[in-house]
Amino acid sequence: MKRLTCCLAWMFLLIGAVAAQDKEVKLKIVQTSDIHGNFYPHDFILQREAAGSLARVHAFVQKARETYKDNLILLDNGDILQGQPTAYYYNYIDTVSLHVTADMLNFMGYDAANMGNHDVETGRAVFDRWAGDCRAPVLGANIIDTATGEPHFRPYKVLERDGVKIAVLGMITPAIPVWLSENLWRGLRFDDMEETARKWMKIIREKERPDIVIGMFHAGQDALLMGGKYRENASLDVARNVPGFDIVLMGHDHARECKKVQNVAGDSVLVMDPASNGIVVSDIDITVTLRNGKVTDKQIDGVLTETAPYGISGEFMKRFSPQYATIQDFVSKRIGRFTKTVSTRPAYFGSSAFIDLIHTLQLDISGAEISLAAPLSYDTQIKEGDIYVYDMFNLYKYENMLYTMKLSGKEVHDALEMSYDLWTNRMTSPDDHILLLRDQPREGAADRAAFKNFSFNFDSAAGIIYTVDVTKPCGSKVTILSMADGTPFHMDKMYTVALNSYRGNGGGELLTKGAGISQDELKERIISSTDKDLRYYLMQYIEQKKVIEPRALGQWKFIPEEWAVPASKRDYEFLFGTNRN
């Protein structure tokens, strides 16, 4: 009896020990962001192999799933519907088929997606259709339906893996009204990220009681106020100021980031950004220790992982080969001919054939007196000869509308002053840089390269004759001499100005901060807007003209030329090497 009692006691102790034993759960979180239609390992615009792509992401994910199986969580952080012609075709040309972007996310097993500003740019008919086609929820806690006061998209998604509860809260930068025409998002508003995060963190904590909270924000980390009221790029502010997040996944600014920050409660938050195009992914390993179903410990580590070593998913390519053929046929249509090669490279140093072609088309299409335009792509060219649909995505990168607005001469002048202040260095000696450059190019930000600021805010003008003195401070750089036809230019006269909808809505703040027009007043200045994107009208224009002879208009230049000319040569070679286009 004593032996039996002893054995039973040991059995109960053993059972108790097993019951109290810790359980370890390993999870992997994979984030993509700013894919911009880069689905295939082929650039349909440049007609060459593309780095990154969802095809490479899929190869990486499938390899990781061999280890993690269902414990791999796949997330996309927005700006997936705009960029390559693949997305454009299913946004606007084939609007009946299952949207290829949703089809791909479904095929790859994404667990949640987030809205980005360029997704909103496609318009409600497109992004609502896409979201409806996605099996995983599209998130947007701070995208509010003005009729109901409720989020237009699901604010968050709760996922459970092996006894661990993970909540993913999605938000977008609220600065949409500064960039996009209201007709694209009518009936919606975009609330402040930090206020929204506080509200939903409380709800998520009380209602869901998650073990891990992930913030997936289509916003970068360098916060600033836009249009006087929209906090842009507030991801880091939320990570630090709103306790409860274990991980904050960023996007939008196309700049790689992987670091840990401390929030106001003293807790560590992993902050990551995989830049763009699926070249790298945010690759996060989480180890959670459970005891009796309760989390006793969690370890979170992240790295940015290159997708190239994993190759291209043959399964992905086979599954989406019909759509690939459709897009190749679409972009291969010939629409006209250019008599010379044009490049954005000379546009940073004076009047150029590339930007002046945009100016000429904007003036012809709108009938305006003055045109404002910038290089939307940092470094691109269209070669002499036949022009195809794919060249149009090179000529004009974004789906902007063409606005005609009323601006005074002084407002045009002041907008240009801010533009050239973003663009040019103030030279104090002939050996200085003429361009405003960063000390170190930002990793992963290829569309910014060595510039301190984005080139899509470097507006020049056509329809007026002017000089830019690179030795003068902001406010004194630009001198407008006359209209292009030689008639006087007046600071107090109201002019019709052709410009894209991004600029017309306050994008880059050239009209608000630069010209001093309030965000609310901008709407009143719009005389007309095209109903389709500018690229559509540029394509029509070239098809009608058949032969385009691009040329620099020569309506502006940098002075003093004895400093500007050699400095331009040096900076050109610094940026692009010695092969001048």
Side-chain angles (χ1 to χ4, degrees):
M1 282 296 294
K2 283 183 179 179
R3 267 186 204 166
L4 181 59
T5 303
C6 191
C7 285
L8 286 169
W10 276 108
M11 283 177 64
F12 283 121
L13 283 170
L14 187 63
I15 291 166
V18 170
Q21 214 171 38
D22 290 344
K23 176 185 176 183
E24 196 173 76
V25 177
K26 291 186 179 294
L27 306 170
K28 183 175 280 292
I29 313 293
V30 178
Q31 176 213 8
T32 54
S33 189
D34 297 88
I35 293 294
H36 284 288
N38 194 31
F39 306 149
Y40 299 100
H42 177 76
D43 189 323
F44 289 97
I45 300 171
L46 301 177
Q47 290 293 299
R48 67 187 187 195
E49 184 181 358
S53 78
L54 285 185
R56 288 191 175 91
V57 172
H58 186 247
F60 164 77
V61 168
Q62 290 300 86
K63 184 66 178 175
R65 280 184 176 139
E66 291 175 10
T67 301
Y68 289 88
K69 299 184 170 53
D70 289 342
N71 281 8
L72 185 147
I73 293 171
L74 184 56
L75 305 171
D76 182 76
N77 198 4
D79 276 8
I80 197 168
L81 293 180
Q82 180 276 333
Q84 282 284 320
T86 321
Y88 183 89
Y89 183 85
Y90 287 93
N91 289 345
Y92 307 114
I93 310 300
D94 181 354
T95 59
V96 177
S97 299
L98 174 67
H99 200 296
V100 71
T101 311
D103 201 2
M104 288 173 172
L105 296 186
N106 295 343
F107 173 77
M108 293 176 66
Y110 273 82
D111 294 285
N114 197 27
M115 283 293 290
N117 54 294
H118 285 292
D119 303 321
V120 177
E121 184 181 18
T122 64
R124 286 195 63 168
V126 174
F127 66 71
D128 281 343
R129 169 179 152 240
W130 164 68
D133 286 346
C134 288
R135 284 202 291 265
V138 174
L139 306 179
N142 62 333
I143 304 175
I144 308 301
D145 188 319
T146 54
T148 65
E150 297 297 321
H152 181 67
F153 295 98
R154 191 187 297 194
Y156 67 90
K157 169 72 173 175
V158 174
L159 303 159
E160 191 160 340
R161 297 290 188 272
D162 214 357
V164 178
K165 221 174 184 185
I166 307 106
V168 183
L169 175 71
M171 292 194 292
I172 192 173
T173 173
I176 304 298
V178 175
W179 305 317
L180 302 179
S181 174
E182 189 177 347
N183 69 310
L184 298 172
W185 47 269
R186 196 175 304 282
L188 303 175
R189 73 168 193 263
F190 304 88
D191 285 355
D192 181 77
M193 286 175 55
E194 192 170 328
E195 290 175 9
T196 302
R198 289 185 193 284
K199 170 188 172 180
W200 286 103
M201 181 61 76
K202 187 173 187 295
I203 293 169
I204 289 167
R205 286 291 183 197
E206 291 177 356
K207 181 180 177 183
E208 310 294 351
R209 300 188 180 278
D211 302 307
I212 295 165
V213 180
I214 299 171
M216 185 161 60
F217 308 149
H218 191 83
Q221 63 178 315
D222 298 324
L224 70 157
L225 196 66
M226 297 196 77
K229 55 184 176 181
Y230 303 106
R231 256 201 306 172
E232 155 80 330
N233 285 337
S235 294
L236 210 55
D237 287 352
V238 175
R240 286 175 170 149
N241 299 335
V242 182
F245 291 103
D246 296 285
I247 301 166
V248 164
L249 302 175
M250 303 187 299
H252 181 52
D253 61 357
H254 295 201
R256 299 181 191 186
E257 185 61 272
C258 181
K259 64 183 178 184
K260 288 189 176 181
V261 300
Q262 191 177 73
N263 67 19
V264 291
D267 299 320
S268 177
V269 184
L270 176 64
V271 176
M272 297 192 72
D273 188 331
S276 59
N277 292 318
I279 295 169
V280 304
V281 294
S282 299
D283 182 0
I284 302 166
D285 285 315
I286 303 176
T287 302
V288 179
T289 304
L290 300 168
R291 183 174 295 163
N292 298 326
K294 300 291 183 183
V295 174
T296 59
D297 186 53
K298 52 188 171 184
Q299 180 65 38
I300 302 173
D301 296 292
V303 294
L304 294 172
T305 298
E306 301 272 348
T307 57
Y310 295 86
I312 296 163
S313 168
E315 187 184 1
F316 181 97
M317 295 301 293
K318 182 179 179 182
R319 170 69 172 73
F320 295 104
S321 62
Q323 292 93 330
Y324 180 98
T326 297
I327 301 306
Q328 192 63 275
D329 286 346
F330 167 62
V331 300
S332 298
K333 179 188 173 186
R334 181 187 177 278
I335 59 172
R337 185 168 65 85
F338 277 13
T339 59
K340 65 178 285 188
T341 297
V342 294
S343 165
T344 53
R345 292 181 178 186
Y348 306 115
F349 306 99
S351 176
S352 72
F354 192 104
I355 300 303
D356 288 349
L357 174 61
I358 303 293
H359 282 310
T360 300
L361 298 181
Q362 288 191 166
L363 290 170
D364 284 359
I365 292 166
S366 67
E369 296 163 284
I370 299 169
S371 168
L372 297 176
L376 300 188
S377 298
Y378 159 66
D379 182 17
T380 194
Q381 70 170 2
I382 300 174
K383 293 184 178 179
E384 172 188 353
D386 289 341
I387 301 301
Y388 300 89
V389 168
Y390 57 74
D391 289 308
M392 301 310 298
F393 289 82
N394 224 354
L395 181 65
Y396 210 85
K397 186 175 181 179
Y398 301 111
E399 277 80 74
N400 300 141
M401 309 300 179
L402 176 62
Y403 279 5
T404 305
M405 298 182 74
K406 279 280 187 186
L407 301 178
S408 72
K410 185 177 188 307
E411 287 164 346
V412 171
H413 171 271
D414 291 352
L416 290 172
E417 283 284 357
M418 181 175 173
S419 171
Y420 284 99
D421 189 52
L422 294 172
W423 176 351
T424 61
N425 182 39
R426 185 183 180 187
M427 296 180 71
T428 58
S429 88
D431 298 322
D432 287 345
H433 286 291
I434 192 169
L435 301 179
L436 191 58
L437 304 173
R438 298 176 63 90
D439 293 332
Q440 291 290 331
R442 193 164 187 176
E443 188 181 9
D447 52 358
R448 189 172 190 160
F451 288 128
K452 187 173 181 181
N453 299 298
F454 287 109
S455 65
F456 54 68
N457 287 325
F458 297 174
D459 270 8
S460 63
I464 54 177
I465 307 295
Y466 65 100
T467 60
V468 181
D469 191 330
V470 291
T471 68
K472 298 288 179 65
C474 182
S476 306
K477 289 178 179 286
V478 177
T479 301
I480 301 176
L481 304 172
S482 71
M483 299 300 290
D485 62 4
T487 57
F489 175 88
H490 299 288
M491 288 286 196
D492 58 354
K493 181 179 176 180
M494 297 302 289
Y495 292 96
T496 54
V497 181
L499 69 180
N500 68 39
S501 53
Y502 171 81
R503 188 72 70 236
N505 288 310
E509 299 190 294
L510 299 190
L511 296 186
T512 50
K513 189 176 177 181
I517 305 169
S518 72
Q519 187 68 44
D520 294 333
E521 191 187 343
L522 285 176
K523 285 183 192 177
E524 300 168 18
R525 300 296 194 91
I526 300 169
I527 301 168
S528 64
S529 169
T530 56
D531 59 350
K532 290 185 171 65
D533 65 275
L534 190 47
R535 188 190 299 123
Y536 170 85
Y537 293 99
L538 296 176
M539 202 179 306
Q540 276 199 329
Y541 182 93
I542 293 169
E543 280 188 293
Q544 289 167 3
K545 294 283 186 181
K546 294 185 174 59
V547 178
I548 301 291
E549 299 180 15
R551 63 184 182 88
L553 299 174
Q555 294 180 358
W556 73 273
K557 64 181 178 180
F558 288 131
I559 60 169
E561 290 184 89
E562 60 270 24
W563 283 21
V565 171
S568 294
K569 184 176 185 295
R570 288 195 308 271
D571 278 5
Y572 187 102
E573 291 175 358
F574 174 80
L575 290 172
F576 307 116
T578 56
N579 181 26
R580 295 179 72 87
N581 286 316

